Amino acid sequence: MKQGTHPEYHFITVKMTDGSTYQTRSTWGKEGDTLSLDIDPTVHPAWTGGSAKLLDTGGRVSKFKNKYAGLGF
């Protein structure tokens, strides 16, 4: 393998939004650095099943509902 082409792989500490921490290996930062997360799986709606909002840009949802109203959607 060609030398000097891969970044250094080392241990860092990841701090979650609730204050808990864990150690992992990463190419981010330097050995022993702490990465503080603003969003993590404990609070992000994609993982927690939080409420999703349906944006109606230009009436597209309304047009769809009107077009297929008789099909029972």
Side-chain angles (χ1 to χ4, degrees):
M1 187 177 346
K2 189 174 181 181
Q3 296 295 321
T5 58
H6 297 283
E8 181 188 344
Y9 195 57
H10 49 269
F11 282 99
I12 64 167
T13 302
V14 178
K15 183 177 180 185
M16 307 290 268
T17 55
D18 64 357
S20 62
T21 61
Y22 68 93
Q23 281 209 325
T24 188
R25 295 188 67 177
S26 176
T27 58
W28 180 86
K30 295 178 228 153
E31 178 82 27
D33 281 354
T34 300
L35 174 64
S36 297
L37 299 178
D38 294 331
I39 298 174
D40 63 42
T42 61
V43 297
H44 194 279
W47 288 284
T48 60
S51 63
K53 294 181 181 177
L54 182 61
L55 297 177
D56 189 3
T57 307
R60 292 181 188 154
V61 175
S62 300
K63 288 178 188 176
F64 178 85
K65 286 182 178 179
N66 290 339
K67 184 175 181 180
Y68 298 106
L71 297 177
F73 289 122

